[in-house]
Amino acid sequence: MAEQRKRLGDLLVEAGLLSDEQLQEALQIKESDQKLGDVLLQRGDITEKQLIEVLEYQLGIPHISLNQYPVEEEALALVPKETARQKQLIPLRRNGNVLHVAMADPLDYFALDDIRLSTGMRIESAIAAKDDISRAINRHYRVLETRQEAPSDSDIEALAEGDVEDAPAVRIVNELIEEGLEQEASDIHIDPQETRILVRYRVDGILKTERTYPKSVQNVLTARVKIMANLNITESRLPQDGRVKVNLRNAPVDMRIATLPTVFGEKIVIRILDLSSALNKISELGFNKMNYRTFMKMIEQPSGMVLITGPTGSGKSSTLYAALNHLNTDEVNIMTVEDPVEYQLDGINQVQVNTNVGLTFATGLRSMLRQDPNIVMVGEIRDAETAEIAIRASLTGHLVFSTLHTNSAIATIPRLIDMGVEPYMVVSSLSGVVAQRLVRRICPSCRQGAPPSSMAAEMFKRRGISAPDVVYSGTGCDRCSGTGYKGRMAIHEVLQVDDDIRSMMMNNQSTGDIRQYATENGMLYLVDDGLLKVRQGLTTLEEVMRVALDE
């Protein structure tokens, strides 16, 4: 391969992806230390996918995804981390006198010659995306460095004294958080096992194990995280919660930290709080046009109660904060009582629940109503007392927002009554209910279309929606770590409580009757909104079925 010394420009011209004029223009503006492939990508003449496909087809070099590829520590040890980063390659495995490497540019013969001379081995190359290689270098060399310089229990005292920016435990924790930010993870789980520690990241709602550490580093890692969050490092028998802001990559990162004693030691979950999601506009939440109009009408009323329902992790807080953000002006007094306060918003008075001193949702809400609020947000209605105070607040001229755990919007009505609230109070106060779930978005880099299957077409038909000619899915690429999905969006069902529904509730009609009335009046259910987003090519039928029942 290397003996042929083929040039990238010639290969791209031969493949018909580049004209001679484009090649000459790129060569003229290319600086001496720049690679032609980088110039072409910056100019938009080709995509990285096209570049990889040409090299794979023309040279017969395999393309691999490093996310699921096992990397041998013995191979890593042969090439220093800085060299790997500089040459944009990563060693994969050693096979006798052959070293297998993944490269962003397998035509970089200087890099191949350097590695061959420094290792004394024959080099076999594969192609991988540049970002994929960069992530793999960070991930695998960190693990190697950890094993070579693992922190020990004796470092805990040094950590407690504070002057330890270069301590191994500090570096490991910072790298774990940086990796979480890089992957856009919502949570980092540090799970103690019997013989090792697992680190797992929740990305787009799905947990995946990213790396393991030896059991010997457990105590000092736990101590470092606790010190960051100002928790008691000597207390390991009780759960603890804390919050911390750190500067990483010259940007502030807000995190919530929770510890929990398990049989193998303290489990830690680091929630990375993304303030940008709290500052979303309502138009960015994924409401379809009909649901958007209904929701805006509900929240712009001067009084009443609006509930957001769904399981944990369905984006309820983001929707609530977006609504508060929309209503947040100098003319109104907005107050919230939350457990915990996830995002701190300017101009809004936020109260943190503290059950240790008797500050519950109910007592906090009761006190807030003496503070002349216009709009009140209760983090969650957990009991009859909180429900009743919230409802009374809405009946006395306040606009009240809260969340509830129910499976659908209509199921919220009997749930409130089952909690012990008088039906007439529920009827009088409730303006509307939004049920929502989060589905993963199809990765735009590997999105491909195909005709819908007969089962998919039947599902569209059953819901009264015309089936699309093409449905899309992600094939899996380096950008989405081979999952086919990148990012998440919400699907909604919005129930506006009108006079007819109030009359049905007062006459003790069943939820089935209310459902039939809502359906006849054009209400879209979760599965309907999901199918409409499948039609738009935003998500897949499998994702919709994962979170929404076909009722």
Side-chain angles (χ1 to χ4, degrees):
M1 255 178 307
E3 287 71 21
Q4 297 173 342
R5 300 290 182 185
K6 289 197 176 184
R7 295 189 303 180
L8 177 62
D10 297 334
L11 288 174
L12 292 168
V13 172
E14 283 173 28
L17 293 173
L18 207 62
S19 67
D20 284 318
E21 292 78 14
Q22 286 175 310
L23 175 58
Q24 293 308 318
E25 284 176 22
L27 288 170
Q28 283 172 8
I29 64 170
K30 184 177 87 71
E31 297 176 10
S32 58
D33 60 342
Q34 252 186 324
K35 292 181 179 176
L36 177 63
D38 290 339
V39 175
L40 294 171
L41 290 171
Q42 285 168 9
R43 283 165 49 90
D45 292 330
I46 57 170
T47 66
E48 188 170 33
K49 189 177 180 185
Q50 287 174 325
L51 179 62
I52 287 172
E53 283 173 355
V54 164
L55 294 172
E56 187 176 18
Y57 178 72
Q58 298 277 29
L59 301 180
I61 299 175
H63 168 226
I64 62 169
S65 175
L66 292 170
N67 295 292
Q68 286 87 28
Y69 202 95
V71 174
E72 295 179 359
E73 287 189 12
E74 183 188 5
L76 286 176
L78 293 169
V79 180
K81 181 179 179 179
E82 287 311 310
T83 303
R85 202 186 293 280
Q86 183 187 352
K87 309 289 184 189
Q88 292 180 357
L89 58 82
I90 184 167
L92 302 174
R93 68 182 189 278
R94 177 179 181 174
N95 188 3
N97 196 41
V98 178
L99 180 64
H100 295 264
V101 300
M103 305 179 68
D105 179 8
L107 295 178
D108 187 346
Y109 301 114
F110 294 112
L112 285 167
D113 288 343
D114 285 351
I115 300 299
R116 181 174 55 79
L117 289 170
S118 65
T119 61
M121 305 179 77
R122 190 161 63 84
I123 309 300
E124 285 285 337
S125 59
I127 315 166
K130 187 190 294 185
D131 288 345
D132 207 8
I133 287 174
S134 178
R135 281 194 295 268
I137 288 171
N138 289 337
R139 185 164 65 245
H140 294 294
Y141 276 98
R142 281 173 190 162
V143 175
L144 184 67
E145 289 164 358
T146 302
R147 296 198 193 286
Q148 290 171 344
E149 191 189 355
S152 62
D153 288 355
S154 60
D155 294 328
I156 293 179
E157 287 181 22
L159 279 173
E161 290 170 8
D163 187 23
V164 285
E165 283 306 306
D166 291 330
V170 175
R171 286 205 303 275
I172 291 172
V173 172
N174 286 350
E175 286 165 355
L176 288 179
I177 297 167
E178 284 181 9
E179 178 82 11
L181 293 172
E182 194 171 287
Q183 296 200 29
E184 298 177 15
S186 59
D187 301 88
I188 304 170
H189 290 241
I190 302 175
D191 290 348
Q193 307 289 303
E194 187 173 8
T195 58
R196 57 185 180 155
I197 303 167
L198 295 183
V199 176
R200 300 191 291 166
Y201 292 97
R202 189 177 292 282
V203 179
D204 293 337
I206 307 296
L207 268 176
K208 59 175 183 174
T209 300
E210 194 63 40
R211 66 182 73 179
T212 63
Y213 287 109
K215 188 74 172 173
S216 57
V217 308
Q218 179 175 329
N219 290 342
V220 72
L221 280 191
T222 303
R224 171 56 187 163
V225 175
K226 283 182 168 183
I227 288 166
M228 285 172 64
N230 203 23
L231 302 179
N232 182 356
I233 64 170
T234 63
E235 178 56 80
S236 59
R237 299 164 300 169
L238 294 173
Q240 296 186 66
D241 293 293
R243 193 174 184 133
V244 62
K245 276 187 181 175
V246 295
N247 270 303
L248 287 174
R249 301 178 178 176
N250 299 319
V253 180
D254 201 357
M255 296 178 295
R256 206 173 71 224
I257 290 168
T259 71
L260 181 73
T262 72
V263 289
F264 296 125
E266 288 179 276
K267 172 180 167 64
I268 297 171
V269 176
I270 302 172
R271 164 68 58 89
I272 300 173
L273 301 172
D274 180 9
L275 188 60
S276 63
S277 69
L279 301 177
N280 274 337
K281 293 179 180 175
I282 296 173
S283 58
E284 297 169 354
L285 294 177
F287 282 104
N288 64 51
K289 287 180 182 177
M290 189 178 91
N291 285 344
Y292 176 78
R293 282 196 301 269
T294 308
F295 183 64
M296 294 300 286
K297 187 177 175 183
M298 288 182 338
I299 69 170
E300 288 178 347
Q301 292 178 358
S303 64
M305 185 161 72
V306 178
L307 296 177
I308 315 287
T309 80
T312 302
S314 58
K316 299 189 297 295
S317 295
S318 294
T319 303
L320 279 177
Y321 281 121
L324 293 179
N325 229 21
H326 174 75
L327 299 169
N328 188 13
T329 65
D330 285 344
E331 289 77 36
V332 293
N333 176 20
I334 301 177
M335 305 193 76
T336 76
V337 54
E338 306 170 59
D339 183 23
V341 174
E342 288 200 15
Y343 303 103
Q344 290 153 8
L345 302 179
D346 286 341
I348 293 179
N349 304 286
Q350 295 169 277
V351 176
Q352 167 76 54
V353 165
N354 185 349
T355 52
N356 293 332
V357 295
L359 179 53
T360 62
F361 278 120
T363 54
L365 179 55
R366 193 178 279 115
S367 300
M368 281 191 332
L369 294 175
R370 295 194 285 271
Q371 294 280 324
D372 186 33
N374 300 95
I375 299 167
V376 171
M377 192 267 271
V378 186
E380 185 184 339
I381 292 178
R382 294 178 181 170
D383 52 53
E385 185 184 9
T386 308
E388 192 163 320
I389 299 167
I391 285 170
R392 287 189 187 281
S394 70
L395 293 173
T396 52
H398 303 89
L399 179 60
V400 178
F401 293 99
S402 191
T403 68
L404 202 62
H405 289 281
T406 60
N407 289 328
S408 68
I410 292 172
T412 304
I413 297 168
R415 174 86 175 94
L416 284 170
I417 294 169
D418 289 345
M419 289 175 85
V421 181
E422 290 294 337
Y424 76 90
M425 291 180 67
V426 177
V427 170
S428 307
S429 64
L430 198 58
S431 303
V433 185
V434 178
Q436 73 175 56
R437 304 287 189 277
L438 292 180
V439 294
R440 291 181 290 173
R441 284 180 180 269
I442 298 170
C443 172
S445 299
C446 59
R447 180 173 171 265
Q448 286 190 353
S453 66
S454 57
M455 187 194 80
E458 174 61 29
M459 179 160 287
F460 278 97
K461 182 181 176 184
R462 194 164 64 239
R463 301 300 304 183
I465 300 170
S466 58
D469 297 329
V470 177
V471 291
Y472 292 90
S473 62
T475 56
C477 65
D478 301 320
R479 189 178 169 204
C480 61
S481 303
T483 62
Y485 297 99
K486 186 74 176 171
R488 288 191 291 176
M489 66 188 306
I491 58 174
H492 305 91
E493 63 183 37
V494 181
L495 173 69
Q496 185 172 19
V497 180
D498 59 18
D499 289 339
D500 289 325
I501 291 178
R502 288 191 178 97
S503 174
M504 295 170 82
M505 290 163 62
M506 285 303 292
N507 291 321
N508 291 324
Q509 288 185 249
S510 69
T511 52
D513 293 334
I514 296 173
R515 183 182 179 81
Q516 184 178 346
Y517 168 81
T519 304
E520 288 170 358
N521 281 270
M523 177 175 163
L524 291 173
Y525 296 94
L526 286 169
V527 69
D528 300 321
D529 192 28
L531 290 174
L532 290 174
K533 288 180 167 73
V534 172
R535 270 185 65 90
Q536 294 172 272
L538 300 173
T539 189
T540 63
L541 195 60
E542 291 78 15
E543 271 297 287
V544 175
M545 292 300 99
R546 182 174 68 85
V547 301
L549 297 171
D550 181 20
E551 296 140 345

